[in-house]
Amino acid sequence: MERDFDVIVIGGGGAGLSAALEAHDAGASVIILEADSKLGGATALSGGVFYAAGTSVQKRAGIEDSPDAMFAYLMTLNQWGLKPDIIRKVCDEGAEAVDWLIGLGVDFPPEKLVKGGIETVPRAHPSHGAGSGIAEALVNAVGAAGIETALCTRVERLLVEDGRVTGVHASGMDLRAAATIITTGGFANNPDMLARHYPSAARRGNWLWAVHHHAPFILGDGLVLAEAVDANIVGHDTGLLLPSSNAPGRALEPFMPPWLMMVNREGRRFIPEMSSYTISGYAILVQTDEVGYAIWDEAALIDASADLAYLDPYGAGINIPTWEEDTIRSRVASGEFVAADTLGELAGRLGIDAIALEQTVARYNADCAQGVDSMFFQDGGKKYPVAKPPFYGAEIRAAVIGVTGAGLDIDRDTRVLDRHNRAVPGVYAAGEVCGVTMGKRYGGGGMSIAPAIILGRHAGRQAAVARACA
């Protein structure tokens, strides 16, 4: 077969750029086809956190950790509902991938390391410059390597000859290659695909939006392309939904202020208010009507709302205040938030069990007076009693898509698998387009970028090897 390139990469985000670099370094001729007018994809728009264990950055910070511990944590968290061999690779190769990115110019300050989820040691590696810092390093490396890129080029279908994927059709022309790598990202901006593959998100209705809603091609193209060659789709109805008060302008608010008290319709606290966004959305989804309520009083509104330190634990530059005093008072005036002179009245207007709410507030206030949390034993952040009227309440839903989890099935060598667990010859995949790394619970901040980079690199290496066999 006459080839235009050894390897075609569909999608120029973190996974695609990493794949292209590794394939090029292995001696393959490569082209990146990107539907958008720029490279970087969702990685460039992210917080730029990389989740890994046993890294040089952790060692510099005096943190002892290992891939074994990370593997046990992720698999236990997801009740072994993840593909073990894929997760093992992500755990084992994370430290080397961090060093690879550092070699490309990415800075992971040791002092910024944090716990990205509910792990026992900090594994979330925030990068300097957030996602754009990682993306720029990869883009610069691609440019320095002379790897060909075609922007504004949306792939319409995969080419198949004698049962093998032999390239793509894009922009009215056929391009042939020994191997094709799909790295097109998720489908969070495609309502039809959300209804099909992520129905629990689609139920959010007009509250729903995605953190990358302004990126025009996060539409699930890779799933459509691969399904046409009988690829298997796995990971149904998985993903990460972030908490939201439905703030105007679709403001991102994954971290709730620590001075709020959170209750459900039954008037009971159901989660530590300081919980990471990696678990708070899940906790809301299992409450009655899939809703929670933030409760606070006038004293907290005046004294606490000016402290915005909670907004950006990763140091990613998130500074969109949606819970400061002026905004809250504006939302109360508009009727989006509720105000009342008594807890009973507030409960009635919100649809909360009034008697239970009063009991919950009494215990919560007693805890605040003693500086403890006798229910959840949470530390950090000054707690404010709900004692001084007027009292305020806001509906909170898990309604902002951080990651979509459904996607292509792949094997340990990133080969796309069909519905009979057979590799589809000639095609590989990495990144959010894959459905094998998410599971029912998001592992922690950085567990989207890390698998994308790690599996993208591996896909590039495997595709380069495949060119000699095709």
Side-chain angles (χ1 to χ4, degrees):
M1 178 190 74
E2 186 175 342
R3 304 169 184 165
D4 299 290
F5 297 91
D6 293 326
V7 177
I8 294 172
V9 179
I10 310 173
L17 294 167
S18 299
L21 284 167
E22 289 291 354
H24 173 270
D25 287 351
S29 60
V30 184
I31 187 170
I32 302 171
L33 306 180
E34 170 55 54
D36 205 347
S37 59
K38 59 186 179 302
L39 298 172
T43 298
L45 302 173
S46 73
V49 181
F50 195 103
Y51 195 89
T55 69
S56 61
V57 180
Q58 285 179 311
K59 292 172 183 175
R60 285 162 56 199
I63 297 168
E64 293 187 11
D65 196 11
S66 71
D68 288 344
M70 177 176 164
F71 179 75
Y73 162 72
L74 291 173
M75 298 306 296
T76 302
L77 183 69
N78 281 281
Q79 299 177 308
W80 282 77
L82 294 168
K83 218 168 184 178
D85 54 350
I86 299 292
I87 298 303
R88 187 76 245 189
K89 176 175 283 294
V90 170
C91 295
D92 288 345
E93 298 184 12
E96 196 275 331
V98 166
D99 285 342
W100 181 72
L101 288 171
I102 291 172
L104 295 179
V106 180
D107 180 23
F108 295 104
E111 67 274 12
K112 295 291 187 180
L113 284 166
V114 295
K115 294 179 182 179
I118 55 173
E119 71 272 33
T120 57
V121 296
R123 293 194 183 113
H125 293 59
S127 61
H128 181 73
S132 61
I134 294 176
E136 286 175 9
L138 292 169
V139 171
N140 290 339
V142 163
I147 296 172
E148 190 168 344
T149 61
L151 302 178
C152 302
T153 303
R154 192 174 183 184
V155 174
E156 298 160 23
R157 67 177 184 274
L158 299 177
L159 303 178
V160 180
E161 298 177 16
D162 298 324
R164 181 184 184 85
V165 173
T166 56
V168 304
H169 181 81
S171 298
M173 65 188 310
D174 291 344
L175 289 175
R176 286 181 165 77
T180 300
I181 306 175
I182 300 175
T183 59
T184 51
F187 54 87
N189 292 334
N190 186 327
D192 292 337
M193 200 166 282
L194 287 170
R196 178 185 173 193
H197 294 301
Y198 201 179
S200 61
R203 288 200 302 270
R204 305 306 104 206
N206 59 12
W207 279 59
L208 185 68
W209 60 280
V211 294
H212 305 311
H213 64 98
H214 49 287
F217 293 103
I218 300 181
L219 299 170
D221 282 4
L223 277 69
V224 175
L225 293 170
E227 275 195 295
V229 296
D230 203 33
N232 192 28
I233 306 299
V234 295
H236 177 73
D237 205 26
T238 60
L240 176 64
L241 290 173
L242 309 178
S244 171
S245 69
N246 207 19
R250 293 187 165 182
L252 185 61
E253 44 182 345
F255 305 101
M256 293 290 107
W259 43 268
L260 300 174
M261 182 183 75
M262 289 286 291
V263 300
N264 54 20
R265 279 209 187 280
E266 290 73 28
R268 300 180 177 92
R269 292 174 70 205
F270 62 91
I271 191 173
E273 287 79 6
M274 292 288 289
S275 293
S276 165
Y277 70 88
T278 59
I279 62 171
S280 56
Y282 298 117
I284 292 170
L285 287 175
V286 297
Q287 303 308 310
T288 301
D289 297 327
E290 301 180 331
V291 65
Y293 298 91
I295 307 294
W296 68 100
D297 73 356
E298 181 71 10
L301 175 59
I302 294 172
D303 297 340
S305 63
D307 184 1
L308 306 180
Y310 71 92
L311 276 172
D312 194 15
Y314 296 141
I318 298 173
N319 56 3
I320 305 171
T322 56
W323 288 92
E324 88 285 7
E325 183 176 354
D326 289 346
T327 300
I328 290 174
R329 293 199 187 281
S330 174
R331 298 190 73 182
V332 170
S334 70
E336 297 173 61
F337 289 174
V338 172
D341 291 329
T342 68
L343 287 174
E345 181 188 355
L346 184 73
R349 295 186 61 185
L350 291 171
I352 298 173
D353 183 314
I355 296 175
L357 179 63
E358 290 177 351
Q359 292 294 313
T360 298
V361 167
R363 177 176 176 178
Y364 184 80
N365 289 353
D367 282 355
C368 289
Q370 297 177 41
V372 300
D373 184 346
S374 63
M375 184 169 186
F376 291 115
F377 310 100
Q378 64 179 339
D379 296 320
K382 181 180 178 181
K383 308 298 291 183
Y384 280 76
V386 183
K388 181 179 180 180
F391 303 107
Y392 301 93
E395 187 174 314
I396 307 294
R397 294 186 179 271
V400 180
I401 302 172
V403 181
T404 52
L408 308 181
D409 195 6
I410 60 172
D411 66 10
R412 184 177 171 84
D413 288 325
T414 67
R415 298 179 299 178
V416 173
L417 301 178
D418 69 11
R419 294 164 190 163
H420 303 287
N421 206 37
R422 302 171 300 188
V424 179
V427 63
Y428 302 79
E432 196 176 344
V433 73
C434 299
V436 296
T437 61
M438 181 69 204
K440 292 293 184 182
R441 293 292 181 267
Y442 188 64
M447 263 304 291
S448 180
I449 287 181
I453 301 294
I454 293 165
L455 297 178
R457 296 182 69 203
H458 190 66
R461 292 191 291 262
Q462 292 300 113
V465 171
R467 80 190 193 278
C469 304

